[in-house]
Amino acid sequence: MGYWPNHFKRSSTIIITKPNKLLYDSPKSFRPIILLNTLGKLIEKVIGERIQFHVVANDFIYPSQLGELKFKSTIDAGIVLIHIICSGWSKNTSTSMLAFGIAQFFPFLNHRLLTHKVDLNIQVVNFFSNYLINRKTNYLWNNFSSSIFNINVRVGQRSALSSILWALYLLPFLYILEKHLKNLKIPVSIISFIDDGLFVSQNKLFEIFNSRLFCSYNIITNLLDKFGLIVEHSKTEVFHFSRLYGPFNPLSLDLSPLSGLTPTPKNL
């Protein structure tokens, strides 16, 4: 039918404080919990299962997209990382990884791009076009209750449909990113976990690691901007996996021209 009932679009948003904060004068010190209709959530779960089966069967998932997808759990991600690190050690090379996060990934997804990414049935496209709009909520905070108002939440982060929508949205992005890296002859692998990701590089010299990771970070920062998304620079981290013994002091990766920050490398 290509329709999502308005009753299921109505939610209540409970505001709770995040623990162990020195000050509560910033929105980031609070966490909104969105309560949705239970029957609507069950129907979303069924729809999500069917769509995920369809897209997996037709290879619509980027090979290294992991997290909250069928047969791609956190354990699978850990196994992949261990395999990469150990295979590098067997070749007498170390592995460096740059971890990045996408800021406000789910709320900022572009509806038009999302509903035209994959060759889905027209009824499915129409369903998502209707599902993603005309949301309403009200705020609940202690004894305070606001009036109901319209919101533009794009995709709810904990929706049963969020993981498959994320995978579809990032599919062309990851292939474009991969093509950019290959064209520039930057031998870096990509692993994606919903709104977080990893650049993986292997070599014997840490100076080369830094050069590759810097270029990769520059590319993804610019490319995300074209998709209406931004890197959350404060979450960027660098990890080195080496079998060297004794003092280990790799050069810091200077990302200040891109983010204003220089992440302290972590040796593991």
Side-chain angles (χ1 to χ4, degrees):
M1 293 176 61
Y3 174 73
W4 187 244
N6 289 330
H7 183 67
F8 295 153
K9 297 180 182 182
R10 167 75 168 84
S11 65
S12 294
T13 303
I14 300 178
I15 308 299
I16 63 174
T17 57
K18 294 181 180 179
N20 305 320
K21 295 289 184 180
L22 295 177
L23 295 173
Y24 289 92
D25 57 355
S26 168
K28 289 189 175 182
S29 299
F30 300 87
R31 178 178 288 112
I33 305 297
I34 299 177
L35 304 181
L36 294 167
N37 181 280
T38 302
L39 180 59
K41 292 169 68 175
L42 289 173
I43 297 174
E44 283 185 354
K45 183 73 173 177
V46 174
I47 295 172
E49 293 281 337
R50 294 293 301 272
I51 293 177
Q52 189 164 154
F53 174 82
H54 172 74
V55 298
V56 170
N58 290 277
D59 294 326
F60 288 152
I61 303 296
Y62 187 75
S64 63
Q65 279 185 326
L66 304 172
E68 295 195 20
L69 294 172
K70 290 292 184 184
F71 312 114
K72 292 188 176 184
S73 66
T74 304
I75 295 175
D76 296 315
I79 292 173
V80 168
L81 294 178
I82 292 172
H83 172 74
I84 292 173
I85 294 166
C86 291
S87 65
W89 287 349
S90 68
K91 301 172 186 176
N92 198 30
T93 62
S94 298
T95 301
S96 287
M97 300 182 185
L98 187 150
F100 61 89
I102 302 175
Q104 295 293 304
F105 176 74
F106 291 98
F108 287 171
L109 291 189
N110 184 298
H111 290 181
R112 185 182 61 81
L113 293 176
L114 182 58
T115 54
H116 293 84
K117 287 296 180 187
V118 185
D119 185 21
L120 296 172
N121 184 286
I122 186 62
Q123 287 186 327
V124 178
V125 173
N126 290 339
F127 164 76
F128 280 120
S129 296
N130 184 269
Y131 171 84
L132 294 166
I133 61 174
N134 299 328
R135 298 272 173 168
K136 296 176 182 283
T137 193
N138 71 306
Y139 286 134
L140 301 172
W141 187 2
N142 296 329
N143 296 324
F144 170 78
S145 178
S146 74
S147 58
I148 298 173
F149 58 93
N150 295 322
I151 53 172
N152 182 17
V153 295
R154 302 294 176 96
V155 179
Q157 184 166 353
R158 291 303 174 187
S159 164
L161 291 173
S162 62
S163 60
I164 192 61
L165 292 176
W166 150 78
L168 294 177
Y169 192 84
L170 282 187
L171 175 67
F173 169 82
L174 291 171
Y175 276 115
I176 293 172
L177 175 60
E178 181 185 86
K179 184 177 180 180
H180 276 53
L181 294 172
K182 286 183 177 180
N183 289 342
L184 294 173
K185 298 181 179 180
I186 303 173
V188 169
S189 302
I190 315 158
I191 301 177
S192 178
F193 314 91
I194 309 184
D195 53 346
D196 300 300
L198 283 176
F199 286 124
V200 182
S201 179
Q202 293 182 316
N203 202 277
K204 296 181 180 181
L205 300 175
F206 288 101
E207 292 82 358
I208 295 179
F209 283 138
N210 284 354
S211 175
R212 291 175 178 173
L213 295 178
F214 179 91
C215 292
S216 302
Y217 197 72
N218 185 29
I219 292 171
I220 196 172
T221 299
N222 293 321
L223 191 55
L224 281 173
D225 181 65
K226 295 179 180 179
F227 274 69
L229 300 168
I230 58 173
V231 176
E232 191 167 357
H233 297 299
S234 61
K235 290 187 176 181
T236 301
E237 295 184 284
V238 178
F239 302 90
H240 296 302
F241 297 86
S242 173
R243 301 186 83 175
L244 297 175
Y245 295 97
F248 180 75
N249 297 299
L251 295 173
S252 296
L253 176 58
D254 184 10
L255 297 176
S256 57
L258 306 175
S259 66
L261 302 172
T262 301
T264 302
K266 298 176 176 60
N267 179 34
L268 301 172

